[in-house]
C-alpha cells in the first residue's frame, strides 16, 4: 500500500516533528510575551481634585502674604495611596506677637478627599466637615472643578512660631492615586491649588488670601531612573519638580501633570524586543520546516502512487499466440535525498539555545531587582 511509506516517514521523524512543533509554539508564545510590554498604551489619569486655601471671613485686617507649600509623595505608603504635607506660613511682620492667631480655612475637593487622614503639627487628627453651599457660584465651579458640595473643609489657626512667623503643618495620606504607569512611561497627576473670592457657603465664609501670597507644589520620591519629558503647566526650573503660582490669581490649573520615561524599564523593553525578534525568527524557521516536511511527504506519496499504477498496468492485447514474456515489475523509485533531519535538528537546537539564554537573562534581571 502506498500509505505504508508515508506512515513509515512519519514514524521515523515523529520525535523531530514533535520537537519542532513544541519549539515553534514555545518561541511564538515567548516572543508575544516579550513584545507585549513594548507596545503598551499611554497612561491616563483624570484630575485628582483641588486644594483651596482662604482666610476666614472674619479676618478683615490681615494684609501680609500667606505662603502655601504642598508636597506629594505618590510612591510612599500603602498601594493606591498618596502621602502629602500642607504647610501654611504667615509672615506677620510688624504685627505684635500678642495679636490673635491667623484663621485660615482649607478645603479639599474631588478625588483628594477619598480616605483623607491628616494630622496637625501637634500630632492631633484633623477634623473635616462637608461644605453645604446654599447656591452654586460660577466662580467656585471653575476654581474647584465642579460643585462645592464635593468639598470638605477644616479651620486652621496659624499660631505661635518663630519670631515674625506663624505656621501650621498638615500631613498624612489620601487614598487618591496620583501616579499611573504603562510600560516604560509614567504619569503623575497632582491636585490643583487655588484661593477663593469673598463669599459664603453654608456656615462658613471666605476671603481670598492677601496679595503677594504664593503656592508651591512639589513632587518627591520619584524613581531614580525617571526622566521627565512633559509637564503641564510647564516646570519653571529645569530638572526641579516644582511649580509655583500667585495666590490670588484667578482660576488656576485644576491639576499639575508630569509625564516621563523610566530609563531602566525602557532599556529592558528594548532588550526584550530584540529577543522577541530572534524568537520570532526561530518560530518562523520552524513553521517553514514543518511546511517543507509536509510538502516532501505529499510529493513522496504522489510519486509512489504513480510508480504503483505503472507497475500494475495490463499489457496491450495481441493476436500473437506466442506466450507473452513474464512481466517484470520495476523497483519502486527511492525517495530522493533531502536534508529534513539536519534542518530539524538545527531548528530545535536554535530554539533550545535561545530559550536557555532568555531564561538566564530573566533570572539575572530578577536578581538585580531584589
Amino acid at each position: 500500500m502506498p500509505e505504508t511509506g508515508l506512515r513509515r516517514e512519519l514514524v521515523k521523524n515523529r520525535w523531530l516533528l514533535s520537537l519542532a512543533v513544541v519549539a515553534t509554539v514555545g518561541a511564538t508564545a515567548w516572543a508575544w510575551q516579550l513584545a507585549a510590554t513594548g507596545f503598551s498604551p499611554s497612561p491616563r489619569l483624570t484630575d485628582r481634585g483641588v486644594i483651596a486655601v482662604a482666610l476666614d471671613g472674619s479676618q478683615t485686617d490681615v494684609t501680609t502674604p500667606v505662603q502655601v507649600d504642598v508636597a506629594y509623595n505618590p510612591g510612599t505608603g500603602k498601594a493606591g495611596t498618596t502621602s502629602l504635607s500642607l504647610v501654611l506660613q504667615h509672615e506677620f511682620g510688624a504685627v505684635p506677637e500678642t495679636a490673635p492667631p491667623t484663621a485660615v480655612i482649607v478645603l479639599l475637593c474631588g478625588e483628594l478627599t477619598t480616605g483623607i487622614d491628616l494630622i496637625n503639627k501637634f500630632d492631633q487628627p484633623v477634623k473635616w466637615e462637608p461644605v453645604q453651599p446654599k447656591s452654586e457660584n460660577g466662580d467656585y465651579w471653575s476654581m474647584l472643578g465642579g460643585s462645592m458640595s464635593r468639598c470638605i473643609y477644616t479651620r486652621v489657626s496659624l499660631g505661635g512660631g518663630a519670631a515674625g512667623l506663624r505656621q501650621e503643618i498638615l500631613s498624612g495620606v489620601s487614598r487618591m492615586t496620583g501616579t499611573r504607569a504603562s510600560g516604560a512611561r509614567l504619569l503623575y497627576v497632582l491636585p490643583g491649588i487655588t484661593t477663593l473670592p469673598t463669599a459664603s457657603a453654608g456656615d462658613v465664609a471666605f476671603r481670598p488670601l492677601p496679595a503677594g501670597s504664593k503656592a508651591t507644589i512639589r513632587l518627591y520620591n520619584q524613581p531614580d531612573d525617571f526622566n521627565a519629558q512633559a509637564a503641564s503647566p510647564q516646570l519653571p526650573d529645569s530638572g526641579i519638580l516644582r511649580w509655583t503660582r500667585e495666590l490670588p490669581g484667578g482660576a488656576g490649573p485644576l491639576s499639575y501633570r508630569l509625564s516621563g520615561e523610566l530609563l531602566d524599564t525602557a532599556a529592558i523593553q528594548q532588550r526584550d524586543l530584540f529577543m522577541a525578534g530572534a524568537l520570532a525568527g526561530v518560530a518562523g524557521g520552524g513553521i517553514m520546516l514543518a511546511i517543507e516536511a509536509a510538502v516532501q511527504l505529499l510529493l513522496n506519496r504522489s510519486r509512489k502512487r504513480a510508480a504503483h499504477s505503472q507497475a500494475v498496468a495490463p499489457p496491450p492485447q495481441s493476436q500473437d499466440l506466442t506466450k507473452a514474456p513474464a512481466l517484470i515489475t520495476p523497483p519502486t523509485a527511492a525517495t530522493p535525498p533531502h536534508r529534513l533531519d539536519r534542518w530539524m535538528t538545527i531548528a530545535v537546537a536554535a530554539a533550545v539555545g535561545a530559550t536557555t539564554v532568555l531564561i538566564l537573562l530573566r533570572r539575572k534581571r530578577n536578581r538585580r531587582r531584589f
Side-chain angles (χ1 to χ4, degrees), residues 7-291:
R7 190 178 298 109
R8 187 183 302 114
E9 291 289 338
L10 291 174
V11 172
K12 179 181 176 181
N13 298 313
R14 66 183 184 278
W15 295 112
L16 288 176
L17 289 173
S18 299
L19 286 176
V21 170
V22 171
T24 301
V25 173
T28 303
W30 203 324
W32 179 269
Q33 179 186 1
L34 291 176
T37 57
F39 301 98
S40 53
S42 299
R44 293 177 175 83
L45 205 59
T46 58
D47 292 339
R48 303 287 86 187
V50 173
I51 298 176
V53 181
L55 294 175
D56 188 275
S58 61
Q59 301 287 294
T60 57
D61 55 347
V62 177
T63 57
T64 53
V66 175
Q67 310 302 326
V68 182
D69 190 301
V70 188
Y72 296 97
N73 289 330
T76 61
K78 298 180 180 179
T81 64
T82 299
S83 300
L84 70 149
S85 63
L86 175 64
V87 180
L88 305 172
Q89 295 182 348
H90 186 205
E91 298 180 4
F92 52 88
V95 178
E97 296 185 10
T98 56
T102 305
V104 176
I105 296 177
V106 177
L107 290 89
L108 306 181
C109 305
E111 189 73 20
L112 181 60
T113 63
T114 304
I116 192 69
D117 185 12
L118 302 182
I119 59 174
N120 59 22
K121 63 181 179 182
F122 302 108
D123 293 333
Q124 298 173 341
V126 178
K127 297 181 180 180
W128 301 93
E129 298 290 339
V131 179
Q132 299 175 347
K134 296 180 180 179
S135 62
E136 293 293 344
N137 186 302
D139 293 337
Y140 289 163
W141 192 281
S142 61
M143 290 181 174
L144 303 177
S147 172
M148 186 175 283
S149 60
R150 302 164 54 244
C151 304
I152 56 177
Y153 77 95
T154 187
R155 298 178 186 272
V156 177
S157 179
L158 304 184
L165 178 67
R166 294 173 174 177
Q167 71 173 359
E168 180 58 276
I169 301 174
L170 307 181
S171 60
V173 296
S174 168
R175 287 203 295 269
M176 171 197 73
T177 301
T179 180
R180 181 67 54 83
S182 179
R185 284 166 287 189
L186 187 62
L187 172 67
Y188 290 101
V189 180
L190 308 178
I193 188 166
T194 186
T195 188
L196 297 175
T198 301
S200 61
D203 298 332
V204 60
F206 311 103
R207 291 189 66 249
L209 295 180
S213 299
K214 291 183 179 181
T216 303
I217 300 92
R218 308 173 191 268
L219 176 64
Y220 292 115
N221 201 40
Q222 66 274 12
D224 295 335
D225 63 331
F226 178 70
N227 179 32
Q229 296 177 338
S232 177
Q234 188 67 34
L235 290 170
D237 299 321
S238 177
I240 302 177
L241 305 185
R242 179 183 62 196
W243 294 268
T244 57
R245 68 164 302 221
E246 297 287 337
L247 294 176
L254 296 178
S255 62
Y256 291 84
R257 294 175 175 266
L258 178 67
S259 61
E261 185 180 38
L262 299 174
L263 299 180
D264 291 347
T265 305
I268 292 173
Q269 283 187 347
Q270 293 297 324
R271 184 202 67 189
D272 287 348
L273 287 175
F274 174 79
M275 299 306 297
L279 286 172
V282 172
I287 293 173
M288 294 304 296
L289 285 174
I291 294 175

